[in-house]
Amino acid sequence: ETWYPIFDDQAIVPAGDIAVDPINSEIIYVGTGEPNGSHNNLPGAGMFKSTDSGVTWEHIGLTNSSQIGRIIIDPTNTQIIYTAAVGSNFTPTPYRGIYKSTNGGTSWEKVLFISDSTGAIDIVLNPNNTNELLAAMWQRVRRPGYGQSESSFGPQSGIFKSTDGGMSWNKLGTPNGLPADDSGVGR
């Protein structure tokens, strides 16, 4: 019934996703940047964490990820966090992909990287087997003069699956009912 801002005092405004620790609701994560990929999306400054329900915030890394599309927390071990980093929509960058933290965001490891033009837009975790993950990868870089003739898809886009907590990934393809690489797969 009543709402009040808890992130407006930060130096960065756009948020791509918010996640609340399922065990301790005072712990909140915010991934910054607009992941939409539209004409005027704003970049972020990485990940932020609050341990006091948003009263104070700490920057916890992934500064160059530009846009964060999703944050998921492992419900069986809330120190494990996955983040889908889109990266800059305007230039190729090595800061795209799926990142994993095993220490509540103190440090991050990139566990899925396709290319400097393919970012991660979404990730989901199987709550019945938290080692199973699906990640949506999106090949896209907006060049100067972007218009209707430029596509927002590419052959590196697709759904990737991990069965070992993100340590290895396989691209799902046409045998699984998904479109072939050349069919215009995007976000």
Side-chain angles (χ1 to χ4, degrees):
E1 292 181 16
T2 304
W3 294 84
Y4 56 93
I6 60 171
F7 199 72
D8 288 10
D9 292 337
Q10 300 311 302
I12 194 76
V13 175
D17 199 24
I18 301 167
V20 178
D21 186 303
I23 305 298
N24 180 354
S25 61
E26 291 187 357
I27 299 175
I28 305 169
Y29 297 90
V30 173
T32 60
E34 274 184 282
N36 294 337
S38 61
H39 291 286
N40 298 310
N41 57 318
L42 300 171
M47 289 285 293
F48 291 79
K49 179 180 182 177
S50 175
T51 57
D52 55 14
S53 299
V55 175
T56 61
W57 292 91
E58 175 188 5
H59 183 262
I60 59 168
L62 303 183
T63 304
N64 296 317
S65 61
S66 195
Q67 282 101 5
I68 292 177
R70 185 74 62 220
I71 305 163
I72 57 173
I73 302 169
D74 186 326
T76 64
N77 179 353
T78 60
Q79 291 295 297
I80 298 175
I81 305 158
Y82 297 91
T83 300
V86 178
S88 172
N89 282 311
F90 303 104
T91 185
T93 174
Y95 304 106
R96 300 172 182 256
I98 298 293
Y99 288 84
K100 179 180 182 177
S101 175
T102 58
N103 53 19
T106 300
S107 63
W108 298 91
E109 176 185 4
K110 191 181 336 179
V111 294
L112 177 58
F113 177 76
I114 305 301
S115 77
D116 64 1
S117 299
T118 304
I121 189 66
D122 207 352
I123 183 169
V124 293
L125 173 143
N126 179 350
N128 297 318
N129 179 354
T130 59
N131 283 320
E132 291 184 352
L133 302 151
L134 294 173
M137 303 301 285
W138 184 21
Q139 184 178 352
R140 177 148 195 246
V141 176
R142 288 187 55 214
R143 308 286 182 202
Y146 172 80
Q148 296 298 325
S149 62
E150 188 171 335
S151 65
S152 60
F153 56 86
Q156 294 175 345
S157 298
I159 305 293
F160 288 74
K161 182 177 183 177
S162 175
T163 58
D164 58 7
M167 301 320 296
S168 63
W169 297 84
N170 292 308
K171 186 175 184 180
L172 303 181
T174 52
N176 303 94
L178 296 173
D181 289 345
D182 58 355
S183 66
V185 174
R187 180 177 177 165

